Amino acid sequence: MKIAFINEADQHIGIQYLTAVLKANGHEVRTFSDPRLFNDLYITIRSLNRIFDFQDAILKDIAEFNPGLIGFSVSSPIYQWACTLAAKIKKRMDIPIIFGGVHSTAVPERVIQKNFIDMVCVGEGEFPILELANSMDRGQPDYTIKNIWFKTPQGEIIRNEIRPLIADLDALPFPDQDLFYSSSSYDTRSYVTMISRGCPHSCSYCTMSYLHDFYHGKGKRIRLRSVQSIINEISGVLQKHKNIKRVMFPDNCFGTDIAWLREFSREYSHKIAREFFCVMHPASVTQEAVACLKEAGCRSISLGIQAWDAPLRYTLLNRKVSNEVMENALRLILGARIELLIDNLFDFPEYSMERYIESLEIYTRYKPTRNYFYKLHFYPHTQMSQIAVQNHWITAAEYEDCLEGGDTLGILRYDTSHGDGGPRSGRESKQAQILFVLMDLIPARWTKIIIQKKWYRYFPPFLNPALLTMLRTLLANDFESRYFKDITFWRYRHFMIKKLKTYFRKK
C-alpha cells in the first residue's frame, strides 16, 4: 500500500519511526515536505511566503504518487498549518487522512470533527498505523484498532481504547533517515536521534503533565533504548553520510540513568567520536554524570531552569528541585568547559516582573553560553492551563484558541493583575525582554549593574526585542546555534533554488 506523510519544514523523528515500521513491513512510503519559507515559527514575511509557497506543488506531487492514506503528525504550534493543508488535499483528492501527534492525542474529540480528517491516532502510532495500513491493503479498514479513532462513512465516531506504551524501544527499527533526506535533500552535517521516550518529571506547563495522566497504568514514564542500539544506529548513518560532524539528542532528560550513561560514555567515545548536544534536568547533573558526558564528547548541554524563585517553581511549575541543586549544575557544567544553554520562563501571572528580574542576578555569577527566555504558554489540558482557566488568568476564548492550536496558545494578557506589583504593562514586558537579550551580549558585570540599579526601567520602548533576538542569533557561535543556523540555511537554499528553477522552466 502507498502511504504519504506530510512533514513541516525540518526533520521529524516521529514520522521517521512510522515510515521505518511501514517500510519494514512491505508498504511504499513517501514524505512530502512543506518548507514554509518565510512562514514558520521564527521568520514570517507574508509577501515573500506567497512567492516561495510550495503547497500547490505538494498537492501535485501527492496526486502523482496516488497514496491510499495520508498522515500528519502535529504539535499545537503547527496544528493550524496542518489543517489548512489537509483541507486543500481533501478538496482535490478523495483520500483518507489521519492526524496523530501530541496535539491530536490531547484533543482527539476536536480533531476528529474536522470534515477533512477521517481518523485520529491517539498516543504512540507505530503499530496502530501498521495495523491500519495492513487492513486497508486488504480492502477495508479495521475499525477496532486500538489507539485509533475513526469517522465512518455514516458519520459515526468510533473511539478505540489505548494500548500500553511500547516497553522495548529496541524492538523498533531505526528511524528512517533516508526518507527524510529524499524529501528535503539538504545537507545539515548533523544527525538527530533520541535515546528515550517520556520523562520522569511532570512540570505543570509541559504536555508531559497531561500525558502522564493519559497513560496512567499503561507503562513506565520513561523508557530507554539500549546503548548498543544507539551505537548501531549512529554507526550505520556515519557509514552512509561521511559528512556528519555533530549529533543532537533532543530527549527531555538525557542522563537520568547513571549506569546507562557510564556505558554510553565508554561506547560512544570509542565507536562514534562525534561531538554532541543533549538536554538535561538539573537533578541529573552530578559530578560523575558531567565527567561521563565530557569523556563521551558532549559539547553542549541545554538545562531547564525556568525560574529561580523557589516557591514559584515548586508550587506553580511543579518542579521539585532546589536552588542549590540548580546552582551546582551550572557550576559543574561550566567547570567542565561544556557549553551551557539555559531555558527560562517568564511572564508569570500574579508575579512582579521586577522581582523576577532580581532573581536573575545569579547569571552574573554563573554566566551561561546562551540564555533563552520563553513566554509562558498554555497548551491543551496541561496542569498549568487548568490552573490558568480556574484563576481567570486567561479567558475562555483564549483557552478555546489554545485547544484549536491558535496563534496565541493562551499567552497572558499584559493587563493581568498580580499581587505584588500592580497591573503589568506591555512596556514593562518589552523592557524585560530587551534585558534578556542583552544579558547574552554584554559582560556579566554590566548585567549586574543594570539589575542592581534597575536601569532596565529606562530601556526605550522603540527597541524591538525580536530584532535584537535575531541579532543575538546571528552573532551566536555556540554548538546549538550553529546547528540551527545550518539547517535554516540549507532549507532556504535548497527550496529557494528549487522554486526558482521551476519558475524559469515555465518561462
Side-chain angles (χ1 to χ4, degrees):
M1 178 181 177
K2 290 184 178 181
I3 303 157
F5 285 95
I6 316 300
N7 190 32
E8 184 261 358
D10 295 318
Q11 182 177 356
H12 192 307
I13 295 177
I15 290 178
Q16 290 173 245
Y17 269 110
L18 297 176
T19 60
V21 168
L22 289 166
K23 288 173 68 175
N25 287 272
H27 296 283
E28 183 180 352
V29 189
R30 281 186 60 184
T31 58
F32 298 86
S33 293
D34 181 0
R36 300 186 65 184
L37 302 186
F38 305 104
N39 186 34
D40 57 21
L41 300 176
Y42 309 102
I43 303 174
T44 301
I45 306 174
R46 301 296 184 189
S47 56
L48 288 177
N49 174 250
R50 285 191 290 270
I51 296 172
F52 292 98
D53 181 75
F54 277 81
Q55 292 198 358
D56 286 341
I58 290 172
L59 295 176
K60 181 176 178 293
D61 291 342
I62 292 173
E64 291 178 356
F65 181 54
N66 192 28
L69 179 67
I70 296 174
F72 288 82
S73 180
V74 296
S75 59
S76 294
I78 68 169
Y79 176 63
Q80 287 296 325
W81 159 81
C83 285
T84 299
L85 189 49
K88 289 181 179 179
I89 294 171
K90 200 61 150 180
K91 188 175 180 179
R92 300 193 191 185
M93 299 165 239
D94 185 20
I95 300 174
I97 293 177
I98 183 169
F99 267 44
V102 65
H103 187 85
S104 303
T105 297
V107 288
E109 69 286 349
R110 287 174 171 266
V111 178
I112 197 70
Q113 294 297 333
K114 304 294 184 185
N115 57 15
F116 46 83
I117 296 175
D118 305 283
M119 293 162 272
V120 176
C121 183
V122 184
E124 291 182 320
E126 285 86 358
F127 297 118
I129 197 74
L130 175 61
E131 292 173 20
L132 176 64
N134 289 342
S135 68
M136 293 179 71
D137 206 21
R138 293 191 295 267
Q140 179 65 37
D142 178 358
Y143 289 132
T144 68
I145 297 172
K146 293 181 179 180
N147 283 40
I148 297 185
W149 288 24
F150 293 89
K151 186 191 301 173
T152 68
Q154 295 76 31
E156 177 191 0
I157 305 300
I158 300 174
R159 300 168 173 83
N160 289 308
E161 65 176 291
I162 303 302
R163 67 185 69 200
L165 289 163
I166 299 172
D168 182 11
L169 299 182
D170 286 2
L172 294 170
F174 296 147
D176 185 4
Q177 187 74 5
D178 290 338
L179 200 65
F180 167 68
Y181 277 111
S182 67
S183 67
S184 300
S185 300
Y186 48 89
D187 177 11
T188 67
R189 293 175 291 182
S190 305
Y191 183 66
V192 183
T193 190
M194 298 185 72
I195 66 163
S196 65
R197 289 189 182 182
C199 180
H201 308 285
S202 190
C203 303
S204 64
Y205 53 86
C206 178
T207 54
M208 283 296 168
S209 70
Y210 165 72
L211 292 176
H212 287 160
D213 291 337
F214 176 81
Y215 275 119
H216 181 70
K218 295 288 186 178
K220 295 181 179 179
R221 283 190 170 190
I222 186 166
R223 294 147 291 150
L224 282 170
R225 296 170 60 187
S226 69
V227 169
Q228 195 58 53
S229 171
I230 298 293
I231 298 300
N232 290 344
E233 175 193 346
I234 300 175
S235 296
V237 170
L238 294 178
Q239 290 176 8
K240 290 183 179 180
H241 306 285
K242 307 293 186 183
N243 61 328
I244 297 295
K245 303 297 182 184
R246 64 176 79 92
V247 179
M248 313 295 286
F249 295 106
D251 300 80
N252 292 313
C253 294
F254 198 94
T256 55
D257 184 325
I258 191 63
W260 184 97
L261 188 58
R262 291 189 198 106
E263 182 185 354
F264 172 83
S265 178
R266 182 176 63 252
E267 295 296 310
Y268 187 94
S269 60
H270 292 154
K271 298 177 180 178
I272 304 300
R274 295 291 193 282
E275 293 180 327
F276 66 92
F277 160 91
C278 66
V279 181
M280 297 189 75
H281 188 279
S284 301
V285 182
T286 64
Q287 187 169 356
E288 182 182 8
V290 172
C292 288
L293 289 165
K294 183 73 173 180
E295 180 184 355
C298 180
R299 179 66 182 277
S300 182
I301 295 173
S302 177
L303 197 66
I305 293 296
Q306 314 315 349
W308 284 98
D309 186 292
L312 172 75
R313 191 174 61 252
Y314 273 80
T315 57
L316 183 62
L317 303 186
N318 196 35
R319 287 181 65 83
K320 312 300 185 184
V321 56
S322 69
N323 281 19
E324 291 74 21
V325 168
M326 296 197 305
E327 187 171 341
N328 185 57
L330 269 62
R331 182 167 53 249
L332 288 172
I333 294 170
L334 292 172
R337 298 187 180 278
I338 297 174
E339 291 179 352
L340 175 59
L341 315 178
I342 299 291
D343 280 356
N344 305 271
L345 292 173
F346 77 101
D347 213 9
F348 295 107
E350 300 185 352
Y351 192 83
S352 164
M353 187 68 78
E354 187 170 291
R355 180 179 164 194
Y356 178 79
I357 289 173
E358 289 173 354
S359 74
L360 303 180
E361 186 271 338
I362 191 169
Y363 293 136
T364 67
R365 291 183 278 121
Y366 300 100
K367 184 176 174 61
T369 310
R370 290 290 302 275
N371 235 329
Y372 293 99
F373 291 86
Y374 300 102
K375 282 192 174 185
L376 186 64
H377 283 61
F378 302 96
Y379 294 104
H381 301 320
T382 62
Q383 295 171 10
M384 177 66 76
S385 67
Q386 304 310 303
I387 294 171
V389 171
Q390 292 166 10
N391 288 278
H392 306 291
W393 296 337
I394 58 176
T395 66
E398 286 173 322
Y399 188 54
E400 178 71 18
D401 186 55
C402 159
L403 296 175
E404 288 294 326
D407 290 338
T408 64
L409 289 173
I411 294 175
L412 278 174
R413 301 181 307 282
Y414 287 128
D415 63 354
T416 298
S417 296
H418 46 85
D420 54 1
R424 181 175 305 157
S425 67
R427 178 191 180 98
E428 180 185 9
S429 182
K430 183 178 286 188
Q431 289 172 332
Q433 290 177 68
I434 293 169
L435 173 63
F436 299 156
V437 177
L438 289 178
M439 287 177 67
D440 273 357
L441 299 175
I442 63 177
R445 64 180 182 277
W446 295 5
T447 300
K448 186 172 185 176
I449 293 172
I450 291 172
I451 291 176
Q452 288 179 340
K453 296 186 177 296
K454 301 181 180 179
W455 286 349
Y456 52 84
R457 293 176 171 179
Y458 306 106
F459 288 160
F462 61 79
L463 286 176
N464 189 318
L467 291 177
L468 287 174
T469 300
M470 290 180 64
L471 174 63
R472 179 186 67 172
T473 301
L474 289 172
L475 293 175
N477 195 41
D478 60 87
F479 194 76
E480 187 193 39
S481 294
R482 290 200 303 274
Y483 163 72
F484 279 113
K485 285 190 283 190
D486 215 11
I487 63 173
T488 301
F489 169 78
W490 284 106
R491 172 161 60 94
Y492 273 79
R493 178 184 182 276
H494 171 76
F495 285 103
M496 288 178 74
I497 290 174
K498 184 176 180 180
K499 175 65 76 171
L500 291 171
K501 284 182 178 179
T502 302
Y503 173 79
F504 285 115
R505 276 199 298 267
K506 290 181 179 178
K507 289 290 185 179

